[in-house]
Amino acid sequence: MLKFEVLEKRFLEEAVSLALTEYNEEYSVVKDLPRNDYRETVYNLLNDMIDHNPGIVALDGSKVVGFLTCYAPIENFFVKKKVLFRQFMLMEQLRKIGI
Amino acid sequence: MIYSKLYQKAAKKWVDEGILSHGIALYAHNTTAVESFFRNGFGLRCIDAIASIDIKITKHENIEDVKMEEITLDKLDCLLPLKNKLISHLSKSPVFLTYNKFDREKLKSQSTARMSRFFTASSEEKVIGYIEITGSGENFTCDDKGTINICGAYLGEEYRGRGIFDLLLSFMFKKLQQEGFEQCGVDYESFNPAADKFWTKYFTPYTYSMTRRIDERIN
């Protein structure tokens, strides 16, 4: 059974792997996308997000199968209220376990 | 299902903090995620798209009386009217984007800061359209050294429908290809009909940015 916890640093490596899998899936359809190793880039992006505004992680046992996190809120962006921009990456493992 | 559960739990936290506008960039071909956020009240707003610059764009080699060139930053003043026409266009229905108009100083400082390059179409000595490109864009793929990014474009309304913009894009791609670039990215509002129609002729969407604005009376 899945459980949901706050996305913390200890989940970072697994989250990065999920995010890269997601990019590679998009690349398999859109071949014009750059074919680079983005591990370090994605690691730094997610590390920064976790520092500023922890999101939520989905766990199957102790395994990270999905997460939802965000950048820190931006004031007066589009509206005169706080706006939140999230980078979302959820994973193939979810589909594999039939959810 | 899981996308919805993650959003349900995260959104509670964020709304409790007074964060009422949410935006998310999803990979365009992850239909499960796109459908899930659509069902959670999100709507499409912005698209990142990409094209290989060796694609054949137009069978026209030239258009009579229309000249294509790359201009240097010391000739920026000729772009000022078009830059402000673009801002005016974006403020109208159905786009409704608000930007402050450019003056010479702002145009120069912005173009210098982001190291813009400008490709123009001119007729009778007057610039009628342009494409602005930069080395960076809206997400990490845009920083790839083989990728160049379109960050602004406009063609005067009276010149549309003649293939001028296609030819300008083709002219630019040929020059960039000679410089070693391989891909070109663009981002545009899905609710800008002119942009949506033109860019999807040659570019493939790879992200959909979706937004939801929650009723501020909830708090």
Side-chain angles (χ1 to χ4, degrees):
Chain A
M1 181 175 172
L2 286 180
K3 58 183 177 181
F4 298 88
E5 295 183 11
V6 170
L7 178 59
E8 296 172 344
K9 293 267 182 174
R10 60 194 168 103
F11 300 121
L12 183 56
E13 290 288 351
E14 285 184 272
V16 170
S17 294
L18 295 182
L20 292 172
T21 303
E22 187 88 336
Y23 179 77
N24 289 334
E25 285 192 4
E26 189 66 17
Y27 174 81
S28 72
V29 182
V30 185
K31 293 293 187 186
D32 290 331
L33 281 169
R35 187 64 171 160
N36 296 324
D37 180 1
Y38 285 117
R39 179 166 290 275
E40 185 179 349
T41 304
V42 172
Y43 182 97
N44 291 335
L45 286 169
L46 286 178
N47 192 39
D48 188 50
M49 288 183 196
I50 291 173
D51 273 343
H52 288 95
N53 200 323
I56 300 293
V57 63
L59 298 167
D60 181 18
S62 60
K63 185 178 180 183
V64 175
V65 294
F67 65 91
L68 179 57
T69 187
C70 61
Y71 292 111
I74 306 167
E75 291 285 356
N76 299 326
F77 195 76
F78 294 138
V79 293
K80 293 180 178 177
K81 290 281 181 182
K82 283 182 184 175
V83 173
L84 194 58
F85 270 84
R86 296 187 310 279
Q87 186 74 31
F88 179 87
M89 296 108 174
L90 177 66
M91 259 357 315
E92 184 63 18
Q93 281 84 339
L94 288 174
R95 291 171 225 156
K96 287 177 180 166
I97 61 177
I99 296 169
Chain B
M1 175 94 167
I2 301 303
Y3 291 91
S4 291
K5 283 190 175 178
L6 279 167
Y7 179 65
Q8 181 183 359
K9 291 181 182 297
K12 179 185 185 316
K13 178 178 179 302
W14 296 328
V15 171
D16 285 348
E17 294 173 15
I19 302 165
L20 300 177
S21 291
H22 302 167
I24 186 162
L26 299 166
Y27 289 116
H29 294 87
N30 185 345
T31 53
T32 305
V34 171
E35 170 74 8
S36 177
F37 277 85
F38 174 68
R39 299 190 78 84
N40 274 285
F42 284 73
L44 184 57
R45 181 182 177 97
C46 189
I47 295 171
D48 286 306
I50 195 163
S52 171
I53 64 171
D54 63 1
I55 59 168
K56 185 165 178 59
I57 289 183
T58 172
K59 51 190 174 190
H60 299 293
E61 288 301 317
N62 57 66
I63 295 174
E64 196 175 348
D65 298 332
V66 177
K67 178 185 167 190
M68 311 292 171
E69 64 181 329
E70 181 177 7
I71 64 166
T72 51
L73 291 187
D74 60 326
K75 294 179 181 168
L76 273 180
D77 284 359
C78 69
L79 293 175
L80 195 55
L82 294 181
K83 278 275 193 178
N84 285 328
K85 280 184 180 177
L86 175 60
I87 286 174
S88 176
H89 163 73
L90 294 175
S91 71
K92 293 175 183 167
S93 181
V95 188
F96 301 122
L97 288 178
T98 59
Y99 292 107
N100 294 324
K101 293 227 169 184
F102 282 93
D103 57 25
R104 286 178 178 166
E105 197 52 42
K106 181 183 168 190
L107 178 56
K108 184 181 175 185
S109 62
Q110 186 192 75
S111 305
T112 305
R114 56 189 193 181
M115 294 189 283
S116 297
R117 294 172 63 182
F118 293 92
F119 291 82
T120 61
S122 303
S123 177
E124 298 176 343
E125 305 296 317
K126 178 184 157 193
V127 177
I128 60 173
Y130 76 92
I131 300 174
E132 179 180 0
I133 57 171
T134 60
S136 189
E138 302 286 331
N139 64 64
F140 61 84
T141 68
C142 302
D143 295 330
D144 172 64
K145 58 184 177 185
T147 303
I148 200 78
N149 303 281
I150 295 171
C151 61
Y154 187 78
L155 179 68
E157 288 186 24
E158 63 271 39
Y159 299 100
R160 294 177 193 173
R162 293 172 50 193
I164 294 173
F165 207 81
D166 304 70
L167 191 59
L168 179 59
L169 188 66
S170 177
F171 172 83
M172 184 181 82
F173 275 9
K174 282 176 187 166
K175 178 148 194 206
L176 293 173
Q177 194 173 15
Q178 289 167 3
E179 295 175 17
F181 289 102
E182 296 173 345
Q183 295 92 223
C184 181
V186 65
D187 66 280
Y188 56 92
E189 275 68 33
S190 57
F191 44 68
N192 180 348
D196 198 35
K197 183 179 177 187
F198 181 80
W199 297 122
T200 49
K201 283 166 68 177
Y202 305 114
F203 290 72
T204 305
Y206 65 93
T207 76
Y208 289 152
S209 290
M210 303 173 75
T211 57
R212 179 182 181 185
R213 186 173 178 179
I214 294 165
D215 188 336
E216 44 278 337
R217 293 171 297 183
I218 195 67
N219 283 340

